[in-house]
Amino acid sequence: MPSEGRCWETLQALRRSDKGHLCYHRDWLLRGEDVLEECMSLPKLSSYSGWVVDHVLPHMQENPPPSETSTSPRSTSALDQPSFVPRSPVRDPAFSPASSATPNGTKDKHESQHTEPMVLQSSRGIKVEGCIRMYELLHRMKGAEGLRQWQEEQERKVRALSEMASEQLKRFDERKELKHHKEFQDLREVMEKSSREALGQQEKLKAEHHHRAKILNLKLREAQQQRLKQAEQERLRKEEGQVRLRNLYALQEEVLHLSQQLDSSDQHRDLPKVDLSAFRTRGNQLCGLISGIIRATSENGFPTAEEQAVAERALQEMRDLLVDLQQEIARACEDRRRQDEEARVKRQESQVRQGPEVRKEPPASRQGPGEKLNEDLQVKVQDSTMQWYQQLQEASRQCVLAFEGLSNSKDSQAKKIKMDLQKAATIPVSQISTIAGSKLKEIFDKIHSLLSGKPVQSGGRSVSVTLNPQGLDFVQYKLAEKFVKQGEEEVASHHEAAFPIAVVASGIWELHPRVGDLILAHLHKKCPYSVPFYPAFKEGMALEDYQRMLGYQVTDSRVEQQDNFLKRMSGMIRLYAAIIQLRWPYGNRQEIHPHGLNHGWRWLAQILNMEPLSDVTATLLFDFLEVCGNALMKQYQLQFWKMILLIKEDYFPRIEAITSSGQMGSFIRLKQFLEKCLQRKEIPLPKGFLTSSFWRS
């Protein structure tokens, strides 16, 4: 209705005016004050009237009761109009809990009767008062509900805080316990660490103690060994001194014997151009030198090695002196014989011219040095062996003749080819030593390719034997010569080198037999004892030529020292002993060895059937047996040991009988070697022998 809107506007305006601040008391009726006085006084609104206007009245206007009508004609004041006042809460079932609780309606009737006089007194005031009370009730209920919710919220917060505090207390206890565990663990680790350190220190001290005790024991043992060593050295020094003294006496005896031979040469004093006094004077000086050494030795105890060396040089000089004297006598005898022959021829011519017959006188037979030497070397090689030796030497001479044109050519191109071929043949052989098997195979392949006519690289150039028709003969000869020279030089200085050189030589020998024959020819020529063959001195032969036939190197009429001679012979025999037992591992295993162990057995048997030579035979036997004795033992077994016993029982006395006291070293070395082998019943493998690991490297 349009009037309702204006009423509400009026109420809102009143609320905003001073009248909205009216004081209203709920118990005004109880005070006994007159209602009219209050009505005539300025109206006052309760402080809750604003809330009632905002919240209660709009709700009540939406559902007005059907019985309520606007009967009041008066409009002097907004509070006098019943349509502007909400319903009494006692009549409204929605706001009166008592009305909802009494279904029969008796209580409502009683209340209506009870409130009826109040309605008569002030219906609008009662309605307002009811609204206000209802609002207070709602406010109290809402406050109680809010208080309850607040209490529940506080309780919930308290419980949450309590739980959180409990959890925090648990976490605190856990952290505290964890801290205690950590502290306990740290303490235990510290204790264990200190315990380990103490144990480690104790072990260290114990180890140091053991180490010091060990060092002290070693020092004591070393001191004891040093004392024993010194005692042993003193004993050995005395023994060596005694040996040197005996050798010195033997040297003096031999020198005196040679001096007697010098003195016995007085029977040749009538020979022309022979001055015997100089030889005799020098011989007396050498005898005096050795006598002085012996006198000094008797004063000082034992002779030193230097004194013995001086005596040996004096003995060697005495021997050379005697040889020179014999050469002088031989030359003088030859001159005298020639003069006698010329005189005899002249006499014959004069007798022929004179006519009467004169009986010829035979020339005086005089014994030269060659005949005496021939008596000393009453040894003879078997005819078959000698024939074989001569065939090899003839083959070597034919090979030299085959490349004579290339060797003597004056053409620069031919000289260059010859030099390149010689380098290609000799340089690879020079590179053979105790190198790995793979490198050795490269060297072998290079030599084999050169001999097969294939080009090889040498000095940065390609070289082939096909460059000259005589190239192959030249290379074969130089290659064989180089193999023997390696034995003479490299093997003589390094005994282990015999095996790699021998295995390459054996492989080349198997593929190129002519090279093997040339190797034997060179070996026999430089070392006749490898045949074995002892060349005999022939009448009219120069002494230097004969010494060259024996294997000595003669330079400017000076013969090399005996030690150097034996060293070279030893190297070549060792190379020969290695060749006869080794085969090239990459060759044809079905083929037999071109010069195998049977030749070694033949050499050993023949040399034992010949008279031994002083110092030479013992040296060569030792070198040969040390290198291939093990192979011969495995090949011939019982027969080999029979031969060793033959050497010990029969051949040793023959060697010892011709060996002077100054040349006993090689004989003693051979004797000790064989005695040790007989004791162990085994010939050991030689040092440097090629094993399977050598070829895998």
Side-chain angles (χ1 to χ4, degrees), residues 24 82 235 286 351 417 469 565 599:
Y24 174 74
R235 186 183 64 80
L286 295 176
Q351 289 175 1
I417 293 174
F565 165 74
H599 290 272

Side-chain angles (χ1 to χ4, degrees), residues 315-343:
L315 175 60
Q316 185 64 33
E317 187 177 355
M318 179 67 82
R319 291 172 180 169
D320 297 339
L321 194 66
L322 183 59
V323 170
D324 294 340
L325 177 60
Q326 290 176 351
Q327 290 176 355
E328 292 288 337
I329 293 174
R331 283 194 291 267
C333 290
E334 184 67 22
D335 293 340
R336 185 171 181 177
R337 186 186 64 79
R338 193 179 305 111
Q339 293 174 2
D340 293 342
E341 183 67 22
E342 292 174 356

Side-chain angles (χ1 to χ4, degrees), residues 44-55:
K44 296 181 180 179
L45 291 177
S46 173
S47 59
Y48 299 103
S49 58
W51 184 88
V52 172
V53 172
D54 292 334
H55 296 83

Side-chain angles (χ1 to χ4, degrees), residues 368-613:
E371 294 177 354
K372 181 177 183 301
L373 190 57
N374 210 11
E375 289 180 1
D376 292 338
L377 297 177
Q378 291 296 329
V379 290
K380 186 177 181 181
V381 71
Q382 292 182 1
D383 294 338
S384 59
T385 303
M386 194 63 193
Q387 185 180 0
W388 173 58
Y389 165 76
Q390 292 173 352
Q391 288 175 355
L392 291 174
Q393 297 303 316
E394 181 63 24
S396 177
R397 284 191 293 270
Q398 292 297 328
C399 184
V400 172
L401 292 175
F403 64 84
E404 186 177 9
L406 177 63
S407 180
N408 299 328
S409 176
K410 303 298 182 181
D411 182 39
S412 59
Q413 185 66 23
K415 289 182 178 180
K416 184 178 179 181
I417 293 174
K418 182 185 73 171
M419 186 61 64
D420 291 342
L421 289 174
Q422 184 171 351
K423 289 181 179 179
T426 58
I427 290 178
V429 180
S430 301
Q431 296 173 346
I432 300 174
S433 60
T434 55
I435 57 178
S438 57
K439 298 292 183 182
L440 205 63
K441 190 174 186 302
E442 293 178 7
I443 294 174
F444 177 86
D445 293 339
K446 189 173 183 180
I447 297 174
H448 175 54
S449 299
L450 180 65
L451 293 172
S452 301
K454 299 177 182 178
V456 297
Q457 293 295 323
S458 177
R461 292 194 297 270
S462 179
V463 182
S464 174
V465 295
T466 58
L467 296 175
N468 190 283
Q470 301 174 0
L472 181 59
D473 296 320
F474 178 76
V475 167
Q476 289 176 341
Y477 185 87
K478 290 299 180 181
L479 182 63
E481 184 182 42
K482 185 60 178 178
F483 272 119
V484 177
K485 192 173 183 64
Q486 283 294 98
E488 183 182 9
E489 297 176 354
E490 181 67 21
V491 179
S493 301
H494 306 92
H495 293 170
E496 297 86 354
F499 297 99
I501 297 173
V503 75
V504 175
S506 176
I508 295 297
W509 193 335
E510 185 174 344
L511 297 176
H512 306 276
R514 191 185 183 194
V515 177
D517 293 340
L518 292 173
I519 289 175
L520 283 177
H522 282 289
L523 184 66
H524 292 169
K525 185 176 181 180
K526 287 194 173 185
C527 178
Y529 314 104
S530 61
V531 179
F533 168 51
Y534 299 161
F537 186 86
K538 297 180 180 179
E539 185 178 359
M541 180 185 293
L543 184 61
E544 294 179 359
D545 295 337
Y546 177 64
Q547 289 170 336
R548 290 191 181 95
M549 287 181 62
L550 292 176
Y552 289 90
Q553 290 181 348
V554 182
T555 306
D556 298 333
S557 300
R558 294 186 62 86
V559 185
E560 67 176 327
Q561 296 292 328
Q562 184 73 3
D563 293 342
N564 190 53
F565 165 74
L566 292 176
K567 183 178 179 181
R568 291 191 305 105
M569 298 299 109
S570 171
M572 288 184 281
I573 284 295
R574 282 180 175 271
L575 177 62
Y576 179 68
I579 289 176
I580 64 177
Q581 64 174 314
L582 292 177
R583 293 197 63 184
W584 181 246
Y586 304 103
N588 186 2
R589 307 304 295 180
Q590 302 297 328
E591 298 289 338
I592 62 173
H593 196 295
H595 195 80
L597 283 173
N598 57 323
H599 290 272
W601 182 263
R602 177 196 59 79
W603 181 88
L604 187 60
Q606 288 192 4
I607 203 169
L608 294 179
N609 288 328
M610 301 168 69
E611 287 294 333
L613 294 181

